[in-house]
Amino acid sequence: MATAPKEINQPAPEVLLRVENVTKIYDGTVKAVDDVSLTVNKGEIFALLGGSGCGKSTLLRMMAGFETPTKGKIHLAGQDITNLPPYQRPINMMFQSYALFPHLSVWENIAFGLKRDGMPKGQIAERVEKMLNLAQLGKFAQRKPHQLSGGQQQRVALVRSLAKRPQLLLLDEPLGALDKKLRETTQLELVNIIEEVGVTCVLVTHDQEEAMTMASRIAVMSEGYFLQVGEPDTVYEMPNSRKVADFIGNVNIFDGVIEEDEADHVTVRCPECVHYVGHGVSGHTGMEVGVALRPEKIMLSDKKPKGEYNWCQGEVIEIVYFGAHTTYHLKLDSGKVIKAQELNNTRDLSCGLTWGDRAYAHWNDLAMVVLAQ
Amino acid sequence: MSQATNNKIFSNLWMVVVYLFLYLPILTLVVYSFNDSKLISTWTHASLRWYEALIKDDDLISAVLLSLKIAGISALMSVFFGTFTAFALNRYKRFKGRTLLSSMASMPLVMPDVIVGLSLLLMIISVQHWLGFPDKGLFTILLGHALLGTAYATVVVTSRLREMDGRLDEAAMDLGCKPWQVFHLVTFPLLLPALVSAFLLTFTLSFDDVVLSSFLSGPGYSTMPMVIFSRARLGLNPTINAVATVTIVVVTCAVIASSFYTSHQARKRKREEAQAYSDSNK
C-alpha cells in the first residue's frame, strides 16, 4: 500500500474512463447503482470495494457492456460507449469464476479473442506465446482448463483478458476463488503482470486487504453509491464516515460531544474518557460526534497514564492470539467493549495481561479521527 | 453370525432377486428365439430357423426400417425444437407467458399417451376435413412422436443448460463474439453431449412407441411395435422372438460401448486433474 511520493508540477493525469451520473434500476424499483460518477486515469488500478449487494458488480458489468445504465453516460478515451455491445468495446474482463472455455486448450482459450478480431495466424501464435510466457504457463499450452490448478487457471484467465491488449481491464473478485494461502502469492503475481503490461484496471472486491494491496485508489461503495474515494492509506487513516471506518479494518467508535473547539486542537467528552485531538476539525462546540480509534493505535499498560486525556480503564475479558499480534477485548466501566491490538515483538506475551486483569488503554493525540454523526 | 455378514447375505440375495425380475423374461425370450419348435412355449432343440424366417419376412423387415426412419427423423425434430424451448426457458428469464410455456412444455411427459394420441387424431381428422391434408401416415406419426420427444428433449437440454456457467457466454462476448458466434463457438460445443443423449432418448421413445403410432398411422404405415403387437394378438410367432433378440443385441452393444466410453473419459479426467494438482505442488 505504499504510494509514490507526490511530485511537484506533475503533469495532469490522462483520464481514460469517465462514468457520469450512472444509475441502474432493476425491475423499475430496485436501485442497484445510484447516480455514481467517477474517473479512472490511464495506468491506474482502481478498486470498487463494498459488501455484497452494494452495486459494485453492477457498475463493473455496465463498464463491460453486459448491462446498460438506466441513466447516465460512460466514456472511454473520449468516446461514448454507453450503448456499445460488449463485443465492440476495447475492454476485457477477468471473471470471478474465470469462465475459461472447458472445451478449448489453454492455447485456444488465449487465442480465442484474437481470432475473433481476424488477426493473421502468425501474429496470433506470436501473441499467445508472449502471453503464455507472461503467465509462466508455456508448458501447459495444450492442456484443458480442468487439467490446471486453481492458481494456473487464474493466470490463464488473466492473460486471456490481456491478450487483446484492451484499453481497460476489468477484474471481478480476482482472488475470490482461491484459498487463503494461494492468495498472497497470486496477488503479487497478478499486480506484477498488470504492471508489466501497463494496462488500466478496475477491480471489484469485497476484501479490503485485496483492495488495499492491489489498488492505487479505492472507492468504498454502499447501497449503490460511493461513500469515499481515495488512496488506500487515506481511506484507512482518514475515513470520512462511520460506515467507511467500520468497513475498512477494525475500529472502536466513541460517541461524544465537542467540548473545546480550537484551531490547533479539540477535546471531545465521551462517557468513557475525554479525547484530546491534536488538530482542528470542522465542527463546533456542543456538536455530537463519533471518535474513531483503530485497535493497533491503542497501547495497554497496567500503570495509570499521566494526564487527564486519551486514556480509559477496563477489564480484560478476551484475549485473541493471532501470532504476529494479539487482540485484547477491554470492557470499560461504562460497559462498552473496545479492542486493542498489541504487537508481539518479544517471544513472551507482550504486556503480561491476562483474563480478568484491570488495564489502562491509552493513545496519542493524533491517533483518532473525529466523525460527524 | 455377525450383523455385517447377515446384511451382506441379504443384500446379495436381494440383488439376485431384482436381476432375475428384470432380466429373466428377456433371457427367456433370447433363448426361445433359438428354439426350433413352432410352439412358443415348448423347447425342442436349437436352430436358427426363425432368423431365416425373419430375413424372408418382408412385412416385419419393412416395419423395422419404417420404425428406424421415423425414430431418426422424429428424434432430430425433437432435439431441434427441444433445444429452442430449453433456450427460451433458461436464457431469457423474463418474457410474457414464460410460466405457461414451462408447464406446457413438460405436459406431454405426464399426460397418458392414449389421451395425447386420441386428441392428436381428432385434431388431424378435423384439419384434414377443412384443408384436405395431412393424410394419416408417415407425416402424422412423425408429428406425434416429435411432440412427445420435444418434451423429453427439453428436459434433457434444460438440465445441461442449467449447469453450464452462464459467464461463458459473457466471456465469449467480452472477447469479441457476436451473439450467433457465441452459440456456434461456445454454447453448441458444450451442449453437444446433451444433444446426443436427448437424441438417443427420443429415438428410443419413438422406436418403441405403439400407442401414438396406432392412433396416427394410416394404411401401409405399420411400425415395428405395431406389427409385433398385432401379431401377438393373433398368436405369437417365434419370428418375433428373433427380431426382439436382434434389437436387444444391438441395444446392449450400444449401451456397453457408451458406458465404457463414459467411464473411460471420467477416469481420464480424474487422472489429469490429479496430475494438475501434483504439478502445481512441485
Side-chain angles (χ1 to χ4, degrees):
Chain A
M1 59 180 255
T3 45
K6 288 198 181 73
E7 285 169 34
I8 307 162
N9 294 331
Q10 213 174 8
E14 195 183 332
V15 172
L16 180 73
L17 179 78
R18 187 185 295 280
V19 174
E20 282 170 10
N21 306 95
V22 160
T23 299
K24 176 73 187 179
I25 299 171
Y26 284 116
D27 296 334
T29 48
V30 186
K31 255 190 189 169
V33 174
D34 189 359
D35 196 28
V36 161
S37 298
L38 84 113
T39 55
V40 176
N41 299 328
K42 209 162 189 175
E44 203 175 16
I45 301 181
F46 189 91
L48 298 170
L49 176 65
S52 60
C54 72
K56 58 189 193 301
S57 296
T58 309
L59 188 55
L60 194 78
R61 290 171 60 76
M62 287 193 282
M63 293 175 191
F66 300 132
E67 311 272 356
T68 15
T70 314
K71 257 186 281 177
K73 292 271 171 227
I74 301 175
H75 294 269
L76 185 78
Q79 190 202 352
D80 184 354
I81 60 163
T82 316
N83 293 310
L84 275 188
Y87 47 88
Q88 285 173 2
R89 298 186 183 205
I91 296 177
N92 285 126
M93 177 155 162
M94 183 183 137
F95 291 82
Q96 181 178 11
S97 55
Y98 309 146
L100 296 174
F101 303 124
H103 59 300
L104 300 179
S105 68
V106 169
W107 198 97
E108 290 166 316
N109 260 288
I110 299 173
F112 190 89
L114 304 172
K115 285 185 184 165
R116 302 289 83 71
D117 283 358
M119 193 189 248
K121 276 195 176 149
Q123 277 184 42
I124 293 182
E126 206 178 299
R127 182 78 65 88
V128 173
E129 201 58 38
K130 210 180 262 176
M131 289 296 142
L132 285 168
N133 288 336
L134 194 63
Q136 296 165 8
L137 287 165
K139 57 179 176 171
F140 300 115
Q142 293 315 317
R143 290 211 181 170
K144 293 276 175 69
H146 73 266
Q147 293 169 270
L148 300 176
S149 69
Q152 291 164 345
Q153 289 184 16
Q154 196 234 23
R155 299 209 297 274
V156 177
L158 177 66
V159 293
R160 185 181 69 175
S161 54
L162 287 172
K164 292 181 78 172
R165 305 221 170 113
Q167 292 189 37
L168 179 66
L169 177 68
L170 305 176
L171 304 169
D172 187 5
E173 304 265 0
L175 304 171
L178 294 179
D179 56 58
K180 211 172 175 182
K181 211 176 148 195
L182 257 176
R183 278 174 162 239
E184 245 171 85
T185 47
T186 315
Q187 204 159 302
L188 289 176
E189 277 173 8
L190 209 70
V191 173
N192 285 342
I193 292 175
I194 291 168
E195 275 173 359
E196 198 171 328
V197 180
V199 68
T200 312
C201 251
V202 173
L203 81 97
V204 148
T205 177
H206 67 275
D207 182 343
Q208 44 127 346
E209 265 178 49
E210 192 173 313
M212 300 241 253
T213 42
M214 291 182 70
S216 48
R217 272 197 307 150
I218 296 176
V220 186
M221 266 187 103
S222 171
E223 291 165 15
Y225 57 90
F226 288 168
L227 294 171
Q228 187 173 7
V229 182
E231 285 166 15
D233 49 353
T234 315
V235 175
Y236 186 79
E237 300 295 358
M238 281 175 270
N240 64 0
S241 66
R242 277 167 184 254
K243 266 187 183 164
V244 174
D246 214 22
F247 191 77
I248 311 272
N250 268 314
V251 74
N252 301 301
I253 295 183
F254 298 85
D255 292 309
V257 182
I258 296 183
E259 203 172 48
E260 206 182 330
D261 179 22
E262 301 292 331
D264 64 335
H265 74 269
V266 286
T267 57
V268 180
R269 177 166 294 277
C270 304
E272 296 83 14
C273 58
V274 180
H275 290 277
Y276 180 94
V277 184
H279 55 78
V281 297
S282 56
H284 54 82
T285 311
M287 183 176 157
E288 286 186 10
V289 291
V291 177
L293 186 58
R294 301 264 183 217
E296 75 273 12
K297 295 187 170 59
I298 299 181
M299 290 157 281
L300 291 178
S301 76
D302 45 6
K303 292 177 195 71
K304 189 174 172 181
K306 283 174 202 149
E308 48 183 318
Y309 303 125
N310 293 351
W311 62 268
C312 57
Q313 193 188 19
E315 183 193 339
V316 177
I317 55 163
E318 190 72 81
I319 301 174
V320 189
Y321 180 67
F322 286 97
H325 64 259
T326 303
T327 301
Y328 295 85
H329 294 221
L330 213 61
K331 188 174 186 179
L332 307 183
D333 298 335
S334 65
K336 184 181 176 64
V337 176
I338 63 167
K339 288 180 196 168
Q341 208 178 73
E342 302 299 298
L343 208 58
N344 295 329
N345 45 13
T346 58
R347 283 179 53 214
D348 49 87
L349 282 177
S350 58
C351 55
L353 289 169
T354 183
W355 282 269
D357 280 0
R358 300 285 296 176
Y360 293 95
H362 61 102
W363 52 91
N364 74 43
D365 57 4
L366 291 172
M368 56 285 211
V369 181
V370 180
L371 302 168
Q373 286 294 25
Chain B
M1 226 188 304
S2 74
Q3 185 70 33
T5 23
N6 257 337
N7 280 348
K8 202 167 178 193
I9 286 172
F10 179 75
S11 67
N12 282 338
L13 197 73
W14 185 243
M15 189 176 74
V16 170
V17 170
V18 170
Y19 276 149
L20 282 179
F21 178 72
L22 289 176
Y23 293 107
L24 195 61
I26 296 177
L27 196 70
T28 320
L29 184 142
V30 172
V31 169
Y32 274 85
S33 75
F34 296 101
N35 184 6
D36 191 57
S37 166
K38 214 178 167 95
L39 293 168
I40 206 149
S41 52
T42 4
W43 177 266
T44 50
H45 59 89
S47 89
L48 290 174
R49 178 178 164 192
W50 302 113
Y51 288 88
E52 272 171 54
L54 171 64
I55 295 167
K56 287 179 195 139
D57 190 337
D58 289 339
D59 275 359
L60 198 52
I61 295 289
S62 71
V64 170
L65 292 179
L66 179 70
S67 273
L68 286 174
K69 187 169 157 189
I70 290 175
I73 298 175
S74 76
L76 280 179
M77 287 164 75
S78 306
V79 172
F80 184 80
F81 292 122
T83 307
F84 275 97
T85 317
F87 255 86
L89 290 175
N90 283 281
R91 287 291 191 258
Y92 307 99
K93 292 295 176 204
R94 280 182 288 257
F95 60 88
K96 226 175 181 157
R98 186 181 180 279
T99 324
L100 187 71
L101 177 62
S102 90
S103 49
M104 291 306 258
S106 53
M107 196 60 99
L109 295 180
V110 290
M111 195 77 89
D113 286 358
V114 183
I115 311 278
V116 178
L118 182 64
S119 44
L120 268 174
L121 178 66
L122 294 175
M123 186 195 78
I124 283 164
I125 288 173
S126 43
V127 169
Q128 198 191 11
H129 180 75
W130 293 109
L131 300 176
F133 76 94
D135 284 327
K136 284 204 315 169
L138 184 63
F139 178 73
T140 49
I141 302 178
L142 279 177
L143 209 64
H145 287 188
L147 176 102
L148 192 65
T150 301
Y152 283 88
T154 306
V155 172
V156 174
V157 178
T158 297
S159 71
R160 175 72 186 142
L161 271 180
R162 279 224 184 101
E163 71 185 35
M164 250 166 72
D165 186 0
R167 305 276 171 205
L168 291 176
D169 292 9
E170 288 183 351
M173 257 198 275
D174 188 64
L175 292 166
C177 277
K178 292 173 186 70
W180 67 269
Q181 286 177 316
V182 175
F183 183 80
H184 162 67
L185 292 166
V186 177
T187 320
F188 183 74
L190 291 175
L191 212 52
L192 198 59
L195 298 184
V196 170
S197 52
F199 179 86
L200 290 178
L201 179 68
T202 49
F203 185 94
T204 320
L205 274 175
S206 161
F207 192 68
D208 76 5
D209 172 80
V210 63
V211 181
L212 283 179
S213 308
S214 305
F215 277 107
L216 300 172
S217 93
Y221 290 99
S222 294
T223 63
M224 183 191 77
M226 284 167 71
V227 170
I228 293 178
F229 201 67
S230 66
R231 286 195 190 176
R233 282 195 305 186
L234 299 172
L236 270 178
N237 174 330
T239 329
I240 302 296
N241 288 351
V243 76
T245 305
V246 170
T247 314
I248 290 167
V249 168
V250 170
V251 169
T252 312
C253 288
V255 168
I256 289 175
S258 92
S259 63
F260 259 108
Y261 179 75
T262 332
S263 72
H264 173 75
Q265 288 291 319
R267 273 203 304 275
K268 186 173 155 210
R269 198 183 160 99
K270 218 169 185 180
R271 238 191 353 257
E272 287 172 348
E273 273 167 4
Q275 179 72 31
Y277 185 73
S278 68
D279 280 357
S280 69
N281 283 345
K282 264 176 201 165

